[in-house]
Amino acid sequence: MATAACSLPHRCLLPLHLALLAFLLSAAPAAEAWTGEIRGRVVCDVCADSAIGSEDHALEGAEVAVLCITKSGEVINYQAFTNSEGIYSVAETMPESDRWDSCLARPISSFHHHCTRRGDAHSGVKFTYNKQSGNSHNVKAFLYKPANVPLYCS
């Protein structure tokens, strides 16, 4: 009468499964990673002249939405807030085949006590994202203006 090498058959299969998994992982093609970044600024246009000048200042805490469509057709929505220098940034690492194809950045709100009205005629900036991995796309500054323009601007 022959005796089995393993008293529990499922324990005998574990080394076989691990070897098969290791083979499949080593044989699978690795997806190339791609990293993209979108950056921009939000500024208080104090004189409401649609130009950034010495009287203007960065808006901290302003909210910006960035919507991107990937090459595979997925829509990804990002939310960003500006830092003390008025700069916002969104970044993502993904497979090269799913990288951003086109994006729309738009200002959502400003929490500054004076500069709360959007100064831009456009609600957002659409662009094609054609940067290589690791490079940033810079969006033009979004402007907010005060409800009441100071007298020195006249």
Side-chain angles (χ1 to χ4, degrees), residues 79-91:
Q79 177 184 28
F81 292 90
T82 56
N83 62 17
S84 61
E85 297 168 351
I87 296 171
Y88 67 90
S89 173
V90 297

Side-chain angles (χ1 to χ4, degrees), residues 110-122:
S110 165
F111 298 104
H112 190 269
H113 56 283
H114 294 296
C115 259
T116 56
R117 295 177 42 212
R118 282 193 211 157
D120 302 275
H122 308 291

Side-chain angles (χ1 to χ4, degrees), residues 37-108:
E37 181 183 33
I38 298 165
R39 301 171 55 100
R41 291 178 43 200
V42 181
V43 175
C44 177
D45 182 12
V46 174
C47 290
D49 57 3
S50 299
I52 299 174
S54 59
E55 72 282 355
D56 301 325
H57 60 85
L59 285 180
E60 181 177 7
E63 183 180 8
V64 176
V66 179
L67 182 124
C68 292
I69 300 173
T70 67
K71 295 228 179 250
S72 63
E74 183 181 0
V75 177
I76 305 173
N77 192 25
Y78 301 94
Q79 177 184 28
F81 292 90
T82 56
N83 62 17
S84 61
E85 297 168 351
I87 296 171
Y88 67 90
S89 173
V90 297
E92 177 111 27
T93 298
M94 59 188 70
E96 173 75 29
S97 60
D98 290 336
R99 62 175 278 177
W100 297 327
D101 187 40
S102 60
C103 298
L104 168 71
R106 62 186 185 95
I108 300 297

